[in-house]
Amino acid sequence: MIVVAARSAAQGRMAGLVTHLGVATGSAFHALALALGLSKLFLAVPYAYDLVRYLGAAYLLYLAWQAFTGGNSFSVKSPGSKQKSLLVIFKQGLISNILNPKVALFYLALFPQFLDPANGSVAVQIIALAIILQVVGLGVHGVVIWLAGSMSLLLSNGRVFAKWSRYFLGAVFGGLAARLIFDGQR
């Protein structure tokens, strides 16, 4: 939610929505991994969890560096570059969520409480729960995108805001990376 809010505040509602779509696609990846039994790998092989955690932190640090140095994916300048930038924003949301092992552990901890093998395929039940979670997530993120995007619209009149919004986004990415690095294994 912080990434979606920061992106919306820094680059507007469309960027926030595209970030949400990337994050939601990453969540769908984790739900599918759970349905296939792959998420249990993190419990069976703790090093796999650490590997994904450090890869995720490295990617977030890369995004922070891009934001601080003014990487072109953090400013949508011309109509011709807008599509490419939105695609880059989507990929950033997707990759940052796929490389976050805590999402997999969240699904692994939450979903089994609602599964009943007597009610049919567990994989289908997982997908149904994931769809419900996606709909709720869109509602919550929609409010966050609208509010943070409104802030962006109010303050977007000058270069100073553009510069500081990139720094804010970089600080968010850096903070999330630090949390992944220094947070306990589970």
Side-chain angles (χ1 to χ4, degrees), residues 26-38:
S27 291
F29 169 84
H30 284 291
L32 184 60
L34 178 63
L36 297 174
L38 299 175

Side-chain angles (χ1 to χ4, degrees), residues 16-39:
L17 178 61
V18 172
T19 300
H20 163 75
L21 293 174
V23 167
T25 304
S27 291
F29 169 84
H30 284 291
L32 184 60
L34 178 63
L36 297 174
L38 299 175
S39 295

